[in-house]
Amino acid sequence: MAYQRGTVESFNLWATLVGDNSYSWSSFLPYLQKSVHFAAPAKGKRAANATAAVDLKTIGPDKGPVSLTFSNYAMAISSYVQKGFAEIGILPTNGFASGTLNGSSYVLETIDESTQTRESSETAFLEPALERDNLIVFAHTLAKKVIFDSQKRATGVSVNTAGKVYTLSAKNEVVLSAGAFQSPQILMVSGVGPKATLENLNIPVVNNLPGVGQNMWVSF
């Protein structure tokens, strides 16, 4: 539920490493803002010494589908921990969504302010769109691989529902969004990835892209 953004420097480094300024902080920020809206906690529900600050200008114009707020409850010790941080030079800051992580702050959370229930990609994006005519959801369905034609153009996805394997065909495009682990995994079983790895697993090579599934960075 915690919501924070990377630093300005980390986004700019990302842009430099991939050679694409679209990933810089200034280019990426409008999309981060577009996805969220902030609602202040109800007055009187948080202790007076647990007031949470947030940089509203950086959060965005309060129009996105994902709800951001602070929980009604704050642990009593937190106020004193923050004072302790200040004593050693770690000063209070307006949250961790403005491109800097230096300082201390109460955690901004992806929860609905009125109900104090967790917000998710399902509640924020999927549920409001379920009544649209151009959206069909295949529940309990596993994507097996992307199907390519002879021109190496993605034409559909092979899926498995309750043991039955079939193909969902695409008229325009296939958008692959399966996370940091499953996206490269699906690409590789579909024949897109390092040639040596694919051939070792007897997967026909559609496109030899050595970087797929490589160079995972983990930071703590």
Side-chain angles (χ1 to χ4, degrees), residues 136-209:
I136 300 174
V137 177
F138 290 81
H140 310 294
T141 298
L142 176 67
K144 300 287 288 182
K145 66 177 181 178
V146 179
I147 305 298
F148 294 92
D149 62 17
S150 59
Q151 304 301 313
K152 299 183 179 181
R153 180 176 181 271
T155 60
V157 181
S158 174
V159 300
N160 184 321
T161 303
K164 183 176 179 60
V165 178
Y166 55 100
T167 298
L168 298 175
S169 299
K171 290 183 178 180
N172 296 314
E173 62 182 347
V174 173
V175 178
L176 176 58
S177 178
F181 294 98
Q182 260 55 63
S183 289
Q185 187 263 342
I186 292 176
L187 283 173
M188 292 176 74
V189 299
S190 305
V192 178
K195 182 179 179 180
T197 302
L198 300 182
E199 290 182 340
N200 186 54
L201 296 171
N202 297 318
I203 299 174
V205 179
V206 174
N207 196 345
N208 177 27
L209 291 180

Side-chain angles (χ1 to χ4, degrees), residues 15-87:
T16 299
L17 289 173
V18 300
D20 187 345
N21 196 53
S22 299
Y23 294 97
S24 67
W25 171 261
S26 59
S27 297
F28 217 92
L29 181 59
Y31 296 97
L32 297 174
Q33 294 173 324
K34 187 178 181 180
S35 68
V36 300
H37 69 272
F38 174 78
K43 292 183 178 180
K45 292 190 175 182
R46 284 178 68 97
N49 64 347
T51 301
V54 64
D55 181 2
L56 293 177
K57 182 179 179 180
T58 311
I59 286 294
D62 292 344
K63 295 181 180 180
V66 179
S67 300
L68 298 180
T69 189
F70 295 96
S71 63
N72 289 337
Y73 171 78
M75 293 196 305
I77 193 176
S78 298
S79 299
Y80 300 99
V81 169
Q82 194 167 55
K83 291 179 182 295
F85 278 146
E87 289 290 330

